[in-house]
Each structure stands twice: as C-alpha cells, then as structure tokens.
Amino acid sequence: MSAVPAARHSLIDAAFLQDPYPTYRALRGAGPIHWSEELFGGAWLLTRHADVEALLRDSRYSARRTGGWVMNGQTAERAELCPFQRLFSRAMLFLDAPEHHRLRQVINAGFRPAALLALRPYIEQCVTDLLDRLAHTAEFDFMQAVAKPLPARVIAKLLGMGANPRSEFIAWSDDLADFIGAAQPTHELTRRAQISLLKMSACFETLLAERRRSEAKDDLIGLLLRAQRDGHIEAGAELLAQCAMLLFAGHETTRNLLGNGLHALLSHPTQWQRLLEDPGLLPQALRELLRYDSPVQYTGRRVAADHVLHGKLLRRGQLVIGLIGAANRDPARYGMPDRLDITRREGSHLSFGHGPHVCIGAALTMMEGEIAFRALLARLPTLQLANPQDAPQWLHNPVYRGLAKLPVRVSSMAGAHQ
C-alpha cells in the first residue's frame, strides 16, 4: 500500500480544517489513490474527479458501511451501541439496491417539482422575515441570522413538523454531524450521537403516532405513513431512520452552502459585484459556489469485491473515501480550478454526489440558495465581511465543511433594506 505522502498532508489537523485545498492539490499530484491510516483505522483515498465519480456509481462499492463505523473496534460497548447501529444502518444513505431503490422511490415523491414549487412562497416568506429582523442592523452573524434558521424551518415545513423545529432537533443533528465527521470516533462521541439519535427518534415516534390518528396530509411524514400502510416501508426502525435522515440532511448541507457561498463571494468582491450587476447569473453562480467550497468534502464506500485500481489491490471490506473537495478542483476536469468564477461552464460538480445516491434534496437546496442569495443581493447590496483580515471560523469537521460564524456588515445603511 502507498502511504499518504507526508505527515503535513494530514486530513484532520488544524491547517487542513482551515484550508483543505493545498492538501488535496498535493495528494492529487502525488497520485490518484493513497492509503491513509488516519481515517477509520485505514482507508483508500481517491483524489481525482473521474475516480470519485466512478466510485459513486460502481456496484463494486457498497454504501453499507455503518457496522465498523459505529462499533469502531469496540468490544465491551458493542451491546450498548446496538440501538444506534440498528437505526443508523437503516437510513437510505447507507443502503444498497434493492432496499435503497425501494425507499428512494417512496421519498422521491416528496421532492417532485410540483411539491417544491408549492413550497417556494413559504421559503420566500422565511427569507423576508429573517432579513426584516436585521433592519437597521449594521453588523450581524450571517450563520445565526440566516444560514442556520432558514433550512431548519424549510425541512421542518416539508416534513410536516410545523413552522419551527424544536431547538433540540438541531442540537441532536449537530451531534450526528460531529460523529459522522470524526476520523476516529471516540466512544464518548459515538455514545453522544446515539443518545441524540434515540431522542430524535422518540420524538418522531410520538409525532408519527399523532399523525396516524389525524387526517392525512401531503407532507413528507404523510407520504411515509402512506408508504408504510401500503407496505413500501417498514414501521419501526426503517421508518424512524428515514425521518431522522431527512431532518438531518435537509439542513446540514444547505446551511453550509449559504455560509460557504456568501463567504466565497464576499472574499471575492468582483464576483459579488458581477452578481449585483447581473442577478440572472445566480443559478450558474450557485453551481460554482458548490464546486469551489463543497459543504460535503468526502463520502465513503466499502469494497464489495476484490479488484485492482491504479495498480493497488482493493480488498473486500476495505473502506474507500472519495474526496469530493479534491475532485471538484481537479485540473483535469476544470480550468484554473482554484479560481472562483461564477460564469464557469464546465459541467457539474460532485457536491451532491453522483449515481444512485445522488442527493435527493439537491433541487430543494438549490431553490433555497437561489431565493436567499437573490434577496441578499436585492436588500443588502453593500454587504461585506465584517473582519476580512481575520481567519474564518471553520467548524472542526473534515466531512461537513462549514463556518461556525460569519460576521458581516452593511457598509452603508443608506439604501439597504429597501
């Protein structure tokens, strides 16, 4: 096995978490595949766009990877962690065909264009309300003011949980994100994620029981309940796992698109100005923002059958990590990949994944991003980074790249909030 080139190419140290792209560039330059002991006790790393894209659609790799992840070589705690594994492993994210296809067919109906179109006025009103609260505010934290509450409200509405999700749901989701983003989850981190997932599931169990006694509604929970009644989804762990997955995934990626995207634009004022001059570039700009600084930096698969890739023998059961952040800046795929260019037209990025497990909520995320950024351009055209000389406050999570805080200011209150 080839080793990761040098210790300075760590995927978990502070320098990497602050800016992973120099490390990705070095890894790509050193070769298409590397073995690293840093992640989950050992994993193959794929660095190039073509290989990561193939990983996500190739049946030689399995999405079933939670067993070793949750247990992490622990023996004494295995019985304690079984409830976590029972739920976590049933989420659609970690299933192969035919189970994955069956569940995806059920959930797809909740993300049809007609369903998203019906949700658009609600998203627009949410953005209006959040920005109205900032009237006459010269400086604020964009993450707390907009990026976090907006997608949480939207996914709660889509699920049928009401206009505002309980604050505990977001805290529980954060515990899951910390677990998923840990290179070597400790027992304490795993235990905390288990407690949060079980609490979240208990709340969903109560909500599902209430909804079974009430009139059917056309929201995601109503959809799941009908699918259960019709025999397309199992009650218990399978149903609860999908509810938890939808809530978690529905806000985690979107809030980091909003935060990472605004940070990138304000760090490149000419790109922000270009959008101000031509808001019609926004759909294209969102695709570029996702490519430039992806909210999801990597994803994993298990080798389903021994095979050779780039001269390396990949054995059944080994973990393979597709470095999405590296693939999105592969010079073999994109010209000047480290440059932010909102007019770029070089095909799609891999930030939503690819193949059978491509993000089911991609269109919703894009719609939320388009509505939020369009409102920011219209209402806060003079927006700037509050402290451009300071290093950004990134979360300590190598998987979910996002900002803990994003202080911004309106350079002149005159003309803003009109």
Side-chain angles (χ1 to χ4, degrees):
M1 296 179 185
S2 65
V4 172
R8 67 178 180 275
H9 297 314
S10 167
L11 297 181
I12 59 175
D13 65 14
F16 174 84
L17 294 172
Q18 186 67 21
D19 182 2
Y21 298 105
T23 297
Y24 293 150
R25 189 161 52 247
L27 285 169
R28 275 195 318 268
I33 185 169
H34 306 274
W35 178 260
S36 170
E37 297 286 348
E38 275 192 317
L39 303 179
F40 311 104
W44 292 103
L45 308 179
L46 300 183
T47 66
R48 300 179 181 176
H49 190 284
D51 290 326
V52 176
E53 185 178 61
L55 171 73
L56 299 177
R57 56 177 165 76
D58 193 328
S59 60
R60 292 179 300 176
Y61 305 100
S62 170
R64 293 183 181 275
R65 58 191 187 276
T66 62
W69 191 2
V70 170
M71 299 306 180
N72 195 26
Q74 303 174 79
T75 54
E77 297 86 3
R78 290 183 74 89
E80 178 191 355
L81 296 174
C82 279
F84 185 23
Q85 166 65 3
R86 185 173 67 91
L87 275 169
F88 196 58
S89 65
R90 300 295 291 274
M92 187 177 68
L93 292 171
F94 307 122
L95 296 175
D96 297 327
E99 292 89 350
H100 172 264
H101 179 68
R102 169 175 55 83
L103 291 171
R104 192 173 179 102
Q105 277 193 314
V106 168
I107 297 171
N108 258 337
F111 292 90
R112 292 188 305 250
L116 298 185
L117 185 63
L119 191 62
R120 187 178 183 95
Y122 176 77
I123 301 173
E124 292 172 338
Q125 188 58 53
C126 283
V127 172
T128 297
D129 292 344
L130 291 170
L131 293 184
D132 282 349
R133 294 181 183 183
L134 301 173
H136 313 299
T137 302
E139 186 170 327
F140 58 93
D141 176 8
F142 178 74
M143 298 306 296
Q144 292 298 326
V146 179
K148 289 183 178 180
L150 175 62
R153 291 182 184 185
V154 172
I155 192 60
K157 177 71 171 178
L158 189 62
L159 276 163
M161 299 170 61
N164 290 295
R166 291 170 47 178
S167 59
E168 296 97 323
F169 275 98
I170 306 306
W172 296 333
S173 289
D174 288 344
D175 286 341
L176 288 173
D178 290 343
F179 168 77
I180 292 171
Q184 298 278 8
T186 63
H187 175 61
E188 178 54 35
L189 193 64
T190 306
R191 185 172 179 274
R192 190 166 69 242
Q194 171 173 269
I195 291 169
S196 291
L197 181 58
L198 293 179
K199 286 181 176 179
M200 186 187 295
S201 298
C203 287
F204 272 118
E205 207 159 19
T206 300
L207 178 60
L208 289 166
E210 293 171 353
R211 290 291 300 273
R212 287 187 181 100
R213 295 192 296 267
S214 62
E215 184 178 348
K217 295 181 182 178
D218 290 327
D219 50 39
L220 277 174
I221 287 178
L223 187 75
L224 291 169
L225 287 172
R226 285 195 297 276
Q228 181 216 319
R229 182 197 62 201
D230 295 341
H232 301 307
I233 189 169
E234 296 176 15
E238 187 169 85
L239 178 57
L240 292 170
Q242 309 325 308
C243 291
M245 175 203 70
L246 287 164
L247 180 66
F248 169 78
H251 74 87
E252 191 69 36
T253 301
T254 307
R255 73 178 180 185
N256 291 334
L257 163 62
L258 296 174
N260 297 4
L262 185 61
H263 179 265
L265 287 170
L266 298 185
S267 298
H268 298 79
T270 56
Q271 300 291 297
W272 177 255
Q273 186 61 37
R274 184 73 184 271
L275 268 182
L276 285 170
E277 294 168 357
D278 186 2
L281 288 171
L282 194 48
Q284 194 172 328
L286 285 171
R287 291 191 291 273
E288 171 68 351
L289 292 171
L290 283 161
R291 181 203 69 84
Y292 182 77
D293 205 3
S294 176
V296 178
Q297 289 284 299
Y298 69 72
T299 190
R301 295 289 188 270
R302 290 282 177 192
V303 179
D306 291 4
H307 64 278
V308 175
L309 180 64
H310 295 300
K312 307 298 180 183
L313 176 60
L314 278 62
R315 295 192 177 277
R316 184 176 183 273
Q318 289 181 327
L319 183 64
V320 183
I321 298 293
L323 295 173
I324 290 171
N328 279 344
R329 295 207 186 185
D330 186 350
R333 183 68 177 78
Y334 306 100
M336 301 180 69
D338 293 320
R339 176 186 175 187
L340 179 68
D341 179 5
I342 63 170
T343 65
R344 186 184 297 272
R345 293 182 179 275
E346 292 179 282
S348 62
H349 51 78
L350 293 176
S351 298
F352 288 133
H354 185 72
H357 281 80
V358 67
C359 177
I360 200 166
L364 175 60
T365 294
M366 292 295 283
M367 185 167 71
E368 289 181 65
E370 183 265 323
I371 291 170
F373 279 107
R374 193 173 298 279
L376 289 170
L377 290 164
R379 299 185 57 173
L380 300 173
T382 60
L383 202 61
Q384 299 178 354
L385 295 175
N387 305 297
Q389 72 283 354
D390 292 349
Q393 299 183 52
W394 295 100
L395 297 171
H396 298 292
N397 192 317
V399 177
Y400 297 115
R401 180 162 169 81
L403 289 154
K405 295 181 179 179
L406 180 53
V408 294
R409 64 182 175 90
V410 181
S411 63
S412 171
M413 296 305 296
H417 301 288
Q418 296 297 314

